[in-house]
Amino acid sequence: MFPILSALVFLSAAFVLAWALFFAMKDRAVILKQLFAAGVVEAILVIQTITSAILLIGQSRDLEPWEFWGYVFTILIILPAAAVWAFAERTKWSSVVLAVAAFTVIFLQMRLIQLWG
């Protein structure tokens, strides 16, 4: 995994987290711009997944494939699932859902970095 991609994931997910928490505190539902921001995070995650797969093909790493790819799969589905939920739930709780998803992405990204070593 490239450090620049990891940093982009952290920064963009933290931005979405802060924005969603701000909306939750103001009792506002998620807006489309927030979902686009989550889409940017997702795009960075997809690029990171592709580069990780290419790096794993080219070299041997000391990690359990099922564990690594389980985290990758989870980190890839969490934001789209939260976006669908937030789009369906038009209350302040949609902001809470998006904030929890962004926090989860940050946590899973830290775990992926640990696994990558």
Side-chain angles (χ1 to χ4, degrees):
M1 289 180 9
F2 292 109
I4 189 74
L5 289 175
S6 295
L8 283 173
V9 169
F10 283 126
L11 290 174
S12 59
F15 175 74
V16 171
L17 172 62
W19 196 2
L21 285 175
F22 175 76
F23 268 53
M25 289 187 303
K26 295 287 186 180
D27 289 335
R28 294 181 57 193
V30 167
I31 59 174
L32 194 56
K33 289 179 184 178
Q34 289 172 307
L35 296 181
F36 286 144
V40 170
V41 177
E42 189 69 20
I44 297 167
L45 289 170
V46 168
I47 292 168
Q48 178 179 265
T49 300
I50 293 168
T51 58
S52 297
I54 291 169
L55 288 174
L56 282 175
I57 291 171
Q59 59 184 262
S60 177
R61 297 200 72 74
D62 187 29
L63 56 85
E64 293 291 331
W66 63 269
E67 185 178 18
F68 179 77
W69 290 110
Y71 277 107
V72 169
F73 177 73
T74 304
I75 203 171
L76 284 175
I77 64 168
I78 195 77
L79 280 174
V84 168
W85 188 347
F87 190 72
E89 177 72 36
R90 301 307 304 156
T91 65
K92 79 166 188 170
W93 294 106
S94 62
S95 295
V96 173
V97 167
L98 188 60
V100 168
F103 178 77
T104 304
V105 166
I106 293 169
F107 179 81
L108 291 176
Q109 181 66 24
M110 289 188 325
R111 185 65 182 125
L112 280 173
I113 290 170
Q114 287 176 344
L115 288 174
W116 191 262

